[in-house]
Amino acid sequence: MRVQAVVQARMTSSRLPGKVLRPLDGKPMLLFLLERIARCSTLSGVVVATSEQREDDAVAEECRKAGVSCFRGDLSDVAARFAGALGRYPADAFVRVNADSPLLDPALIDQGVALYRSADADLVSNVFPRSFPPGQSVEVIRTDTFLTTLDDMSNDVREHVTLHFYRNASRFRIRNFTALRPYGGLHMAVDTEADWGRFSSCVAAMERSHWHYGLEELAALWPGARAGEAS
C-alpha cells in the first residue's frame, strides 16, 4: 500500500503573506516541515501541492532545490489541486498536511498511517474531534474515496479538502485517534505574526536539530506552555 504526504502550500496567505517561505535562521519555514516529514517511517513519498499563480513560482523553486516533487494547480480549489497531484503522483492513500505546520511531529503521521493500515477506513484523523494542538493535525485519506467524492463537494468546502467528510460523517468510515493528555490553548500552527514569534522562540530554545523534538518536547519549549496555557 502506497501512502504519501501531500502538503498544501501557497504564498498568498491573507493573515501572514509569504509565510511558507519566510526564513528562520536562513531556512524557509516550508523546509522545516519537509525535513520532519522525511523522518516518517510509513510514507512512500511527499508532494507539495501549490498553485499556478506567479507568487508560487518561489514555492516550486524551493521544492526543486530540496528535491521534493511539486504539483501546481488551482489556487482556490484546493480539493481539485489535490486531485491533480494524486493524478500525477498516484498513491493508495495520502496524508493531508498544511504548510502552516512547520513542527508537525513525524510520530503522529506514523501513528495515523499505522491506524489507517490496520483499519477499514476512508479517513483516519486526529481532528474529529480535535485533541491535539493546531499545527499537529494529521488526516489520512483513502484516495479512491476522495476522488469519487470530489464531484459531491460544494464550493464552500473545496478549500478545506476534508470538511465534506466531517459534515457527512455518517456516509464515511472515519476513525479518530486522540491525545493522551489535554494541551489547553496551545497553538502550534503559524497563522499570524504572533504565531511566528512563538515558533521562532521555540526553535531558538532547541539544543538539537528540530526534527529530534516530538510533541511533548515541543510543548515544553513552547512560549504559551511555559506561561501555563498547556495543562
Side-chain angles (χ1 to χ4, degrees), residues 5-41:
V6 180
V7 180
Q8 61 186 81
R10 62 185 176 95
M11 290 289 284
T12 52
S13 166
S14 58
R15 287 182 287 183
L16 196 60
K19 65 181 180 181
V20 296
L21 295 185
R22 189 170 181 175
L24 179 60
D25 296 332
K27 179 187 298 186
M29 188 177 80
L30 178 62
L31 193 54
F32 281 85
L33 175 59
L34 295 177
E35 288 175 339
R36 294 175 78 82
I37 291 174
R39 269 71 191 177
C40 293
S41 61

Side-chain angles (χ1 to χ4, degrees), residues 117-165:
R117 290 180 182 277
S118 67
D120 185 20
D122 296 306
L123 169 63
V124 167
S125 170
N126 70 354
V127 299
F128 190 70
R130 176 180 291 282
S131 58
F132 290 90
Q136 299 293 332
S137 303
V138 173
E139 295 170 303
V140 188
I141 304 102
R142 186 182 299 272
T143 299
D144 286 347
T145 303
F146 173 74
L147 293 178
T148 56
T149 305
L150 197 63
D151 288 343
D152 295 332
M153 293 185 186
S154 57
N155 289 336
D156 66 316
V157 303
R158 295 176 76 89
E159 179 184 356
H160 304 284
V161 182
T162 52
L163 184 57
H164 176 81
F165 292 88

Side-chain angles (χ1 to χ4, degrees), residues 149-200:
T149 305
L150 197 63
D151 288 343
D152 295 332
M153 293 185 186
S154 57
N155 289 336
D156 66 316
V157 303
R158 295 176 76 89
E159 179 184 356
H160 304 284
V161 182
T162 52
L163 184 57
H164 176 81
F165 292 88
Y166 300 134
R167 285 185 175 176
N168 301 276
S170 62
R171 293 170 48 191
F172 301 101
R173 297 163 296 178
I174 301 177
R175 291 285 302 275
N176 189 73
F177 63 101
T178 59
L180 297 179
R181 70 171 180 90
Y183 286 93
L186 207 59
H187 185 99
M188 293 182 173
V190 178
D191 298 313
T192 65
E193 195 68 47
D195 294 334
W196 176 268
R198 285 185 283 270
F199 163 58
S200 302

